[in-house]
Amino acid sequence: MFLKKGDIVSRLSHNQDIIFVIQEIVGNVAYLQGLYVRLVADSDVSDLVHVDPSVLNRYKETKNEYEKNIIATYKKKIGHITGKILHLDSDPFYLTKCLNLYKTLGIYAYGLEMPEFQMSDHILQYIKRIRPNIIVITGHDSYNNMGLNDLRNYKNTINFIKTIVQIRGQYDLDDICIFAGACGSNAEALIAAGANFASSFDRKNIEAFDPAIVAIMVAITPFNQIVDIESIYNFSKMQKGSIGGIETYGKMRLLVR
């Protein structure tokens, strides 16, 4: 079977559970990016198969449906000012997806592509410039199954924690709502560091839109109401228990005249 860059494939050894786009092929190794799941991976080309168009169409329909649900919910909010989002992401592919969703909803969001290890060095200067009240800190992470509580067993959880600590040194939980984490992050450690919401408590993958969905629900929840975690799961395809956090008030305010 001939494979090339841009092909839509899945892995036989993983029961074809995730749909990927081939980013590059070097020798017999294909470098992959999840089409809907926030995941990068590599695979021997012999383990890959093209995704049937009917299967791909079902995924697209599901994705479009929950985007429509978010939009429908948002449009019920008339005469309001939503929260302002600063979205830091190490992956331009997923960052673009999330920014397009914010734009569709008319929610102000400023996106920054930045490696995880640089986020803590630059976050405060962008907060002062953008003045957000919601921050997303995400990208890629992974857990190596060598011990849940040792942060050295996570690819980027420590980098996310360093960024949270910088923010919480100047802004408290009610000033700025923070979502932090990616696939396989140590969510408990991120919450302990000062995040309002985090992934992933089950150490599993999250979908491309999941960080944005959390930010959107905070942005459109009234400032005097607690963000409903159930509503976050209603709009996401993640397994319940993946994302969680602490009681947090929304950032939306009604216009009065």
Side-chain angles (χ1 to χ4, degrees):
M1 178 180 60
F2 178 73
L3 294 171
K4 65 183 185 303
K5 180 179 179 179
D7 281 358
I8 309 298
V9 298
S10 57
R11 298 174 295 182
L12 291 169
S13 61
H14 289 69
N15 297 315
Q16 299 180 247
D17 59 341
I18 297 174
I19 295 176
F20 292 95
V21 180
I22 296 178
Q23 298 296 306
E24 186 180 11
I25 298 177
V26 179
N28 291 321
V29 178
Y31 294 89
L32 311 170
Q33 184 160 43
L35 190 59
Y36 301 113
V37 173
R38 183 175 282 269
L39 181 66
V40 290
D42 57 71
S43 173
D44 193 286
V45 294
S46 64
D47 191 38
L48 300 176
V49 293
H50 285 110
V51 174
D52 186 272
S54 64
V55 174
L56 187 59
N57 285 337
R58 286 198 297 273
Y59 270 87
K60 287 180 179 177
E61 287 171 4
T62 301
K63 166 184 167 290
N64 291 337
E65 187 60 33
Y66 80 78
E67 280 188 60
K68 289 177 183 176
N69 287 340
I70 297 170
I71 293 168
T73 298
Y74 174 79
K75 286 183 176 178
K76 292 177 183 176
K77 311 286 187 180
I78 299 172
H80 60 277
I81 300 173
T82 67
K84 183 188 291 187
I85 300 167
L86 172 59
H87 186 124
L88 276 67
D89 204 318
S90 69
D91 194 308
F93 179 75
Y94 300 120
L95 175 61
T96 299
K97 279 178 172 280
C98 292
L99 290 177
N100 286 339
L101 181 58
Y102 298 138
K103 184 177 180 180
T104 300
L105 296 174
I107 294 176
Y108 181 89
Y110 188 94
L112 286 169
E113 178 195 343
M114 188 178 297
E116 291 87 354
F117 71 89
Q118 290 183 1
M119 291 178 177
S120 62
D121 293 331
H122 299 284
I123 185 62
L124 292 181
Q125 71 184 71
Y126 282 101
I127 291 175
K128 290 175 183 176
R129 183 187 306 176
I130 307 302
R131 299 183 68 185
N133 49 21
I134 303 164
I135 297 178
V136 174
I137 304 164
T138 190
H140 291 293
D141 206 352
S142 59
Y143 167 56
N144 64 12
N145 293 305
M146 298 296 288
L148 286 171
N149 297 323
D150 189 340
L151 296 182
R152 292 172 297 182
N153 293 328
Y154 299 83
K155 182 178 180 180
N156 276 310
T157 293
I158 289 177
N159 288 322
F160 294 146
I161 288 173
K162 289 178 179 177
T163 308
I164 295 167
V165 169
Q166 287 291 318
I167 299 169
R168 288 296 176 236
Q170 297 195 31
Y171 305 93
D172 67 25
L173 289 165
D174 292 321
D175 289 331
I176 292 177
C177 173
I178 300 174
F179 170 89
C183 294
S185 294
N186 187 320
E188 295 89 342
L190 298 175
I191 296 295
N196 298 74
F197 298 96
S199 68
S200 72
F201 286 90
D202 57 11
R203 305 301 189 266
K204 293 182 181 178
N205 296 326
I206 63 172
E207 297 212 3
F209 282 134
D210 287 347
I213 288 172
V214 176
I216 289 165
M217 296 314 296
V218 175
I220 67 174
T221 297
F223 76 97
N224 58 353
Q225 293 181 21
I226 300 293
V227 177
D228 180 17
I229 193 70
E230 293 293 335
S231 67
I232 292 174
Y233 280 109
N234 287 341
F235 293 118
S236 170
K237 300 305 172 187
M238 71 185 107
Q239 294 295 313
K240 186 165 183 174
S242 177
I243 286 177
I246 60 172
E247 289 185 325
T248 299
Y249 285 98
K251 298 300 182 182
M252 186 187 80
R253 289 179 178 269
L254 296 178
L255 290 169
V256 292
R257 8 181 167 175

